[in-house]
Amino acid sequence: MKQARLTGVCAATLLALGGLGTAQASALDKTDVEFGGYLKADIMFSDYSNGAPDSNNISRQFYVPGAIYGVDGNGNQVTDFQARETRFNFKTVTDLDGHTLTGFIELDFMTHADGDERVSNSYSPRIRHAFISYDNWTIGQTWTTFMNPGALPENLDFVGATEGTPFARQAQLRYSNGGFQIAIENPETTITPYGGGSRITSGNGVMPDLIARYNFKTSGGASFSVMGMLRQLELETRIANQDIDSTELGYGASVAGIIPVGRDDIRFTATYGEGLGRYVALNFANGAVLDNNNDLQAIESYSGFVSYRHWWNEQWRSSLTLSAFSADNDVSLTGGTANKESYSGYINLLYSPVKALTFGVEYMYAKNERENGTDGELNRVTFSAKYVL
């Protein structure tokens, strides 16, 4: 990440131009500005067992559990070139008489379907992170406190080990002190209708999701995170002329870590909960299901991954990753089309001639299964080039 100090000369120049007052110029004199991100290009060769999704489908950008069941009538094998994971960010850190003020914003170009592959391959930037920190307090959008992004495996796929990890960025208010963090975060409930059908996304949440996390390290260099969550699942709406007003308690626990093995390392995450829904496996299972009395019933789930990274020498390395998710659906409520299980495995070879530049190849296999036995498989080989700014 590139860094520059806004010097007194710079502040004085802006003051002379009338752009700043004296107090503002003094603050700029104590501000570090950083620019970072990376450029990444991918070539993906994919084989979908039941017909490839259309080119703008999100699973053509990266692996998304629940999005690989296929499209009947489409060819199984497709090739995709993209540079959409490219990202850039800005960070400022200001010393305010012993207090630290930080601002951070980061954009990339993933998940959008607003471009096409016919001529320009133009895609809109989207906000990944946008937050302000003042000493121990953080407010804005960033990684949910219910995940440890540092424990994610070094895979070429955008997420990697997708079904085995909590993964979300959202607006929140977080307090941190040493290794301890506690946060209230944006509530949003996803629900399976009684008997199955299209997902209901409820915007009725009133109580923020409450999350606590503790990070610690051992004398041997291992690092761990333990996380817990309480959330209120809520739906207030009208379906088929019936008024529905129901709440249910959701909760979860997760542990993640990095364990050094000589120069190599083992990375892992294990998560259990009822009503976790969108927090795990990119919402492969919903947080709750409506029963025949229009009451919410939380859905239980288990997930995890383990990844071993081996350094062959100073420039070559490989990671082997296994990932899994399972939902304990009440099929009498969810119906047979509810997502049941998801698995994936990855193996790669990465080469960095210099620290900032990495070339790599990765093979991925994934399988998703519904309660009725319907399944979808994906075999994918990805070639990538990445340059860290």
Side-chain angles (χ1 to χ4, degrees):
M1 183 175 285
K2 307 300 183 184
Q3 178 174 324
R5 168 78 67 173
L6 288 181
T7 66
V9 173
C10 175
T13 301
L14 291 173
L15 177 61
L17 293 174
L20 294 173
T22 303
Q24 292 169 309
S26 177
L28 278 177
D29 190 33
K30 301 178 181 179
T31 298
D32 291 325
V33 179
E34 301 177 6
F35 169 76
Y38 58 74
L39 309 177
K40 186 167 183 279
D42 299 315
I43 303 173
M44 298 179 291
F45 301 95
S46 305
D47 187 342
Y48 294 83
S49 61
N50 303 319
D54 294 332
S55 61
N56 272 346
N57 187 281
I58 193 170
S59 79
R60 297 279 293 269
Q61 301 175 40
F62 60 97
Y63 168 52
V64 178
I68 65 169
Y69 290 111
V71 177
D72 187 34
N74 282 0
N76 290 2
Q77 298 176 343
V78 292
T79 299
D80 291 291
F81 288 60
Q82 69 172 15
R84 298 168 70 161
E85 192 180 324
T86 295
R87 67 184 61 165
F88 58 94
N89 57 61
F90 291 92
K91 178 180 181 180
T92 65
V93 180
T94 304
D95 180 3
L96 297 177
D97 297 325
H99 298 281
T100 302
L101 173 65
T102 301
F104 186 82
I105 184 167
E106 182 173 66
L107 308 177
D108 73 359
F109 307 88
M110 297 294 286
T111 74
H112 283 288
D114 60 348
D116 60 57
E117 299 181 12
R118 293 181 301 112
V119 180
S120 67
N121 288 268
S122 300
Y123 301 97
S124 301
R126 61 161 190 165
I127 289 179
R128 285 173 51 84
H129 301 271
F131 63 84
I132 302 165
S133 294
Y134 184 76
D135 289 343
N136 299 73
W137 294 92
T138 298
I139 185 168
Q141 176 168 307
T142 189
W143 296 114
T144 175
T145 312
F146 194 64
M147 73 172 288
N148 179 355
L152 289 174
E154 189 182 20
N155 289 351
L156 298 183
D157 182 72
F158 177 60
V159 179
T162 310
E163 59 270 277
T165 181
F167 191 92
R169 291 181 301 271
Q170 60 190 10
Q172 60 193 268
L173 174 62
R174 180 192 298 173
Y175 175 78
S176 303
N177 190 346
F180 178 73
Q181 298 177 338
I182 188 168
I184 52 173
E185 303 192 9
N186 186 62
E188 185 85 335
T189 304
T190 57
I191 300 159
T192 301
Y194 175 62
S198 300
R199 170 181 292 145
I200 300 171
T201 302
S202 171
N204 302 131
V206 175
M207 295 297 296
D209 295 348
L210 176 63
I211 303 172
R213 172 172 150 191
Y214 183 67
N215 306 314
F216 62 96
K217 294 183 178 181
T218 69
S219 58
S223 60
F224 299 95
S225 297
V226 179
M227 294 146 282
M229 175 195 295
L230 287 175
R231 62 190 306 235
Q232 179 176 277
L233 310 173
E234 184 170 357
L235 178 63
E236 185 176 356
T237 188
R238 175 172 292 184
I239 299 177
N241 295 320
Q242 296 185 61
D243 290 325
I244 300 173
D245 187 356
S246 179
T247 61
E248 175 71 337
L249 177 68
Y251 64 88
S254 185
V255 58
I258 304 173
I259 303 172
V261 182
R263 189 178 179 186
D264 300 346
D265 60 65
I266 297 172
R267 299 170 181 234
F268 72 92
T269 296
T271 305
Y272 167 79
E274 293 190 10
L276 290 179
R278 65 184 178 85
Y279 277 96
V280 184
L282 300 183
N283 211 168
F284 182 66
N286 290 320
V289 59
L290 276 173
D291 64 18
N292 56 353
N293 295 315
N294 288 327
D295 291 324
L296 294 176
Q297 303 294 331
I299 296 174
E300 186 179 30
S301 65
Y302 312 80
S303 63
F305 77 84
V306 61
S307 180
Y308 182 77
R309 182 172 64 170
H310 174 66
W311 288 83
W312 302 101
N313 56 38
E314 293 292 328
Q315 296 176 315
W316 294 86
R317 60 199 182 275
S318 295
S319 290
L320 173 64
T321 305
L322 300 175
S323 178
F325 174 94
S326 179
D328 187 9
N329 295 300
D330 184 341
V331 181
S332 66
L333 302 180
T334 64
T337 60
N339 288 323
K340 178 184 179 182
E341 294 176 333
S342 178
Y343 306 94
S344 65
Y346 311 74
I347 187 167
N348 61 36
L349 179 63
L350 309 181
Y351 168 63
S352 297
V354 294
K355 186 176 180 179
L357 180 63
T358 299
F359 300 99
V361 58
E362 179 172 276
Y363 169 71
M364 183 196 75
Y365 170 78
K367 182 176 182 179
N368 299 169
E369 185 175 345
R370 294 184 174 126
E371 289 287 353
N372 60 13
T374 301
D375 62 34
E377 296 179 71
L378 171 62
N379 287 273
R380 173 172 288 165
V381 177
T382 301
F383 296 89
S384 290
K386 177 178 176 181
Y387 173 60
V388 178
L389 300 175

